[in-house]
Amino acid sequence: MAACGKGLDKFMFSLRLLRNLQLQNERFLSTSVCRLAVGGSSEQPPKFTPPSKPVIVDKTQTVASTRSHLSPEFIPPRQRTNPFKFYIERKDMIRRRKVLNIPEFYAGSILAVTMADPNASGKMNRFVGICIQRGGHGLGATFVLRNIIDNQGVEICYELYSPRIQQIEVLKLEKRLDDNLMYLRDALPEYCTVDPDMKPEPISPTGEVPVNKLKVRMRPKPWSKRWERPKFNIQGIRFDRSLTPEQMEHAQKWAQPWREYDMLKEYDTSKLEEQILSEVQREMSK
Amino acid sequence: SFNSSCSITALISPNFFSRSPSHLVGCIRTVKTTTWFDEHLTEDNQEYMRKTTAEEYRRQTAEKLNPLKDEPWQRHEWTEGSRRVGLVAVKLGMVPVWSKTGERHVVTMLQVQDCHVIKHLSKEEFDGHTAALVVGGKNVSPFNRSESQMEMFRNAGVPPKQKVTTFKVSDNALIKPGTPLYAAHYRPGQYVDVTAKSIGKGFQGVMKRWGFKGQPATHGQTKTHRRPGASGPGGDPAKVFKGKKMPGRMGNVYVTAHGLKIWRVNTKYNVLYVNGSIPGHKNCLLKVKRHTRAHKHTQTRK
């Protein structure tokens, strides 16, 4: 496998070249400037070439985002592992990212994922859904997409670095009030239905990611989890529509106010994040 | 005598400044009766000792890499039934790996750090049947090792190692003491056995240690939920048989995982990607050897 790994490397390299060329071609805002420049530098007398039809630049995916964002699976958990292991894993993650563009997204964004499937017709299957959870660290990082199809709720957990994933498209980039939207399982179905043929919305490459301060209405109790309890710390549910103030107060009995003062539970990742972000950006630009 | 109650070894390794201080967490000296090498030295002398040991290690390893310095022993052809030497590796952690067909497998990453052959024991010295090679892993500080151990390392011209194991080896696979061993010793697709000390669980009850079912939680059980119950047949033997499964210390014993496939070898950093899980905690030292189909409990039957 060492021998065929080498061949695969060369193949990946050429694939990456092609992809870079493609992206570069799409990135230039107008081709007419290039055309004139090329015309001037050639030895023939400058011949007037009429500009081609106006190029509609698809600003959604292809313009490089100037927002510096580090994907959460790069940040190592607080363990007694050798940092060298995370370094090796990061190299593999960057290698995969050079082949497949994994865009920036958060819990609450709407994604469309195309995965290779040997049993599907056309060998690919496409699933559109709202991301309710991002979990895992390193190469085993996962995200869960939820959608309601034919009145049936469907959740699929994808692995970000699985080679079966052919394309990840962000149809709508936004954040919600919480990181974990598992409560959408007990919310009214209108909050999880996403149109499978939705068109991608334009994403601004600069500025903050928009936060959707939507408060979701829930189905009547019982819920799969007691979301009103303070351990979940959910901001995005309209509790006043489903619970009485007495029930809310009763839930506060499970509050653990001493946790925020617990120094042993503090894990400050700011310096680590900066280091990793600079390393990742350096490797990706190579 | 063994003075290493705390791993001062961490201070000596060449990796000290490149690693984050997480490996020093929990390193408190607990035995304060005996002297340690640092105690009566001034600060600059301590620095000097550490620097010189690190330099000496680097010089020793560099010497061994130079093929002109000393002649290696003769290499023989592989024959059916010959056994090669194994390696000493460090367990890093686990990662997923995907095959060409898209199946996902979990692998453990093992890094071969400073593995050197230390001694050669001939047939007569060892057990009369097969020759043996003593191999050591991971460099540690010389200050907490006994004189007899240090003599062995000095004879081989190799820095002192944390784990030293013996591998039974056939006569056509003998290696000169002092040769370094790397991860390229194995190729992807080969099968290995990995031996390591399992994580110590301390004194454990019979349910965790031997998997007994215990008793029900309700329906009138008085103070009996996790007890062993009966200890054997009744009046006929009128005794409890030796080896009866009872509560006791669990873990911290050598356990071998057999028949593990190697998925990937990283020759630049000396990392082996070995299928499945392996006994031992992260950063523990393991003995890796080639799998022979002698044992019936294998992970994969070839």
Side-chain angles (χ1 to χ4, degrees):
Chain A
M1 204 152 148
C4 71
K6 226 168 120 190
L8 193 68
D9 261 347
K10 284 191 191 150
F11 175 63
M12 297 278 239
F13 180 65
S14 54
L15 195 71
R16 205 193 316 150
L17 259 181
L18 280 171
R19 199 182 180 84
N20 277 345
L21 281 171
Q22 258 184 21
L23 289 173
Q24 275 171 14
N25 285 339
E26 287 162 347
R27 253 183 223 147
F28 290 129
L29 286 170
S30 71
T31 53
S32 54
V33 172
C34 295
R35 286 265 175 103
L36 285 172
V38 163
S41 61
S42 68
E43 280 144 67
Q44 294 165 346
K47 185 179 149 214
F48 172 70
T49 43
S52 57
K53 285 184 287 196
V55 177
I56 303 159
V57 175
D58 178 34
K59 284 203 184 94
T60 53
Q61 324 299 343
T62 49
V63 176
S65 167
T66 49
R67 208 183 1 244
S68 67
H69 162 79
L70 183 67
S71 215
E73 71 266 5
F74 278 104
I75 302 160
R78 189 168 73 156
Q79 281 174 354
R80 291 174 78 166
T81 26
N82 200 343
F84 175 68
K85 184 246 181 186
F86 297 126
Y87 171 67
I88 298 260
E89 237 186 330
R90 241 177 286 139
K91 280 176 52 144
D92 281 333
M93 284 152 81
I94 291 169
R95 258 181 89 185
R96 175 69 188 162
R97 274 179 182 252
K98 285 187 179 167
V99 175
L100 171 73
N101 171 41
I102 297 176
E104 169 191 1
F105 65 97
Y106 304 89
S109 328
I110 299 179
L111 306 193
V113 173
T114 354
M115 191 165 83
D117 189 359
N119 306 318
S121 59
K123 302 295 174 196
M124 304 273 217
N125 64 26
R126 184 172 190 263
F127 185 74
V128 177
I130 181 167
C131 173
I132 53 176
Q133 175 182 272
R134 277 189 87 161
H137 299 273
L139 281 172
T142 53
F143 62 101
V144 181
L145 292 186
R146 180 181 169 82
N147 198 352
I148 298 188
I149 299 174
D150 291 341
N151 289 334
Q152 172 64 51
V154 177
E155 285 185 13
I156 303 188
C157 176
Y158 290 104
E159 288 182 319
L160 274 174
Y161 295 96
S162 167
R164 285 177 65 186
I165 292 185
Q166 309 299 316
Q167 192 199 24
I168 304 179
E169 218 183 311
V170 175
L171 303 177
K172 184 171 181 193
L173 176 69
E174 65 174 8
K175 278 198 223 194
R176 291 280 192 109
L177 293 167
D178 312 296
D179 284 331
N180 199 315
L181 304 175
M182 284 293 179
Y183 56 82
L184 290 179
R185 290 172 179 165
D186 300 313
L188 296 173
E190 67 201 39
Y191 295 102
C192 300
T193 6
V194 176
D195 176 26
D197 304 314
M198 184 172 149
K199 290 281 168 279
E201 287 180 20
I203 300 168
S204 74
T206 52
E208 293 286 320
V209 174
V211 179
N212 188 351
K213 295 199 198 312
L214 176 65
K215 292 224 171 208
V216 144
R217 275 198 237 148
M218 304 291 275
R219 280 207 284 256
K221 271 206 160 196
W223 296 332
S224 58
K225 291 243 166 2
R226 295 170 208 258
W227 301 114
E228 71 276 9
R229 295 224 172 144
K231 88 167 195 195
F232 295 109
N233 193 18
I234 292 186
Q235 312 295 321
I237 298 183
R238 278 207 72 177
F239 288 113
D240 49 340
R241 296 293 297 228
S242 7
L243 297 177
T244 58
E246 289 86 23
Q247 283 174 313
M248 290 300 296
E249 264 202 54
H250 181 67
Q252 290 303 314
K253 269 189 165 181
W254 280 268
Q256 294 175 326
W258 56 86
R259 278 231 165 173
E260 63 169 305
Y261 303 109
D262 193 342
M263 290 171 72
L264 287 184
K265 291 210 185 330
E266 284 171 8
Y267 181 39
D268 184 27
T269 49
S270 44
K271 285 205 191 101
L272 205 59
E273 263 192 55
E274 281 167 39
Q275 275 178 11
I276 295 176
L277 180 63
S278 54
E279 187 191 321
V280 167
Q281 281 175 341
R282 217 184 322 131
E283 297 290 325
M284 288 296 286
S285 56
K286 276 191 196 163
Chain B
S1 60
F2 290 87
N3 287 342
S4 46
S5 51
C6 106
S7 56
I8 307 175
T9 59
L11 298 169
I12 299 299
S13 73
N15 284 338
F16 177 61
F17 293 107
S18 53
R19 286 200 279 166
S20 63
S22 58
H23 58 281
L24 289 175
V25 167
C27 279
I28 345 149
R29 191 179 164 85
T30 44
V31 177
K32 292 198 199 288
T33 49
T34 48
T35 47
W36 55 101
F37 89 98
D38 264 274
E39 195 179 6
H40 299 300
L41 298 179
T42 56
E43 272 190 27
D44 6 321
N45 281 353
Q46 288 169 14
E47 281 291 316
Y48 175 73
M49 288 304 288
R50 290 200 187 100
K51 260 194 240 154
T52 40
T53 14
E55 277 171 19
E56 201 188 305
Y57 287 6
R58 258 177 254 134
R59 195 171 33 87
Q60 278 178 332
T61 28
E63 257 178 27
K64 294 300 159 187
L65 295 174
N66 186 352
L68 300 173
K69 275 262 178 171
D70 40 355
E71 301 282 323
W73 288 350
Q74 198 202 353
R75 279 164 79 153
H76 302 270
E77 282 298 314
W78 181 85
T79 55
E80 189 71 42
S82 58
R83 291 157 105 165
R84 284 170 86 207
V85 81
L87 302 172
V88 175
V90 174
K91 174 174 166 176
L92 290 180
M94 295 183 76
V95 276
V97 97
W98 287 271
S99 66
K100 287 261 165 79
T101 42
E103 284 140 12
R104 182 185 190 265
H105 303 269
V106 209
V107 293
T108 325
M109 287 166 61
L110 308 182
Q111 189 185 25
V112 181
Q113 287 180 3
D114 314 312
C115 192
H116 282 102
V117 176
I118 295 170
K119 212 158 115 173
H120 155 63
L121 302 166
S122 61
K123 241 192 268 193
E124 297 77 40
E125 282 170 29
F126 188 58
D127 64 351
H129 298 289
T130 18
L133 282 177
V134 177
V135 175
K138 205 162 158 197
N139 292 348
V140 280
S141 90
F143 307 114
N144 295 324
R145 297 276 173 282
S146 62
E147 234 346 276
S148 52
Q149 287 179 322
M150 284 307 295
E151 199 191 308
M152 188 170 68
F153 295 119
R154 222 175 294 132
N155 288 342
V158 140
K161 306 288 181 186
Q162 186 172 341
K163 184 174 171 84
V164 163
T165 41
T166 341
F167 289 97
K168 278 207 267 206
V169 148
S170 55
D171 289 322
N172 56 359
L174 294 175
I175 304 179
K176 181 164 181 173
T179 25
L181 298 171
Y182 302 106
H185 191 75
Y186 291 113
R187 292 290 141 85
Q190 290 180 341
Y191 289 81
V192 284
D193 294 342
V194 179
T195 315
K197 267 204 167 168
S198 55
I199 297 178
K201 312 266 178 191
F203 195 101
Q204 285 300 336
V206 103
M207 276 176 84
K208 195 182 190 65
R209 195 176 183 214
W210 300 112
F212 284 15
K213 279 191 79 179
Q215 289 83 27
T218 59
H219 291 298
Q221 306 288 320
T222 41
K223 307 195 313 188
T224 318
H225 306 288
R226 299 182 68 93
R227 296 179 78 184
S231 56
D236 185 10
K239 67 171 188 178
V240 176
F241 293 123
K242 276 203 193 292
K244 173 84 191 66
K245 291 180 177 174
M246 285 185 163
R249 268 218 185 144
M250 183 180 163
N252 205 26
V253 286
Y254 282 108
V255 175
T256 314
H258 296 272
L260 305 176
K261 180 172 168 177
I262 296 184
W263 282 100
R264 203 173 140 186
V265 176
N266 186 331
T267 42
K268 183 174 174 192
Y269 294 108
N270 280 329
V271 178
L272 290 169
Y273 288 66
V274 165
N275 190 34
S277 55
I278 272 164
H281 53 86
K282 291 205 237 284
N283 303 322
C284 80
L285 285 158
L286 329 145
K287 177 175 171 178
V288 182
K289 44 185 242 210
R290 193 76 189 279
H291 173 62
T292 47
R293 270 174 276 177
H295 204 274
K296 61 178 176 176
H297 294 300
T298 55
Q299 257 203 24
T300 43
R301 282 191 174 278
K302 274 175 80 180

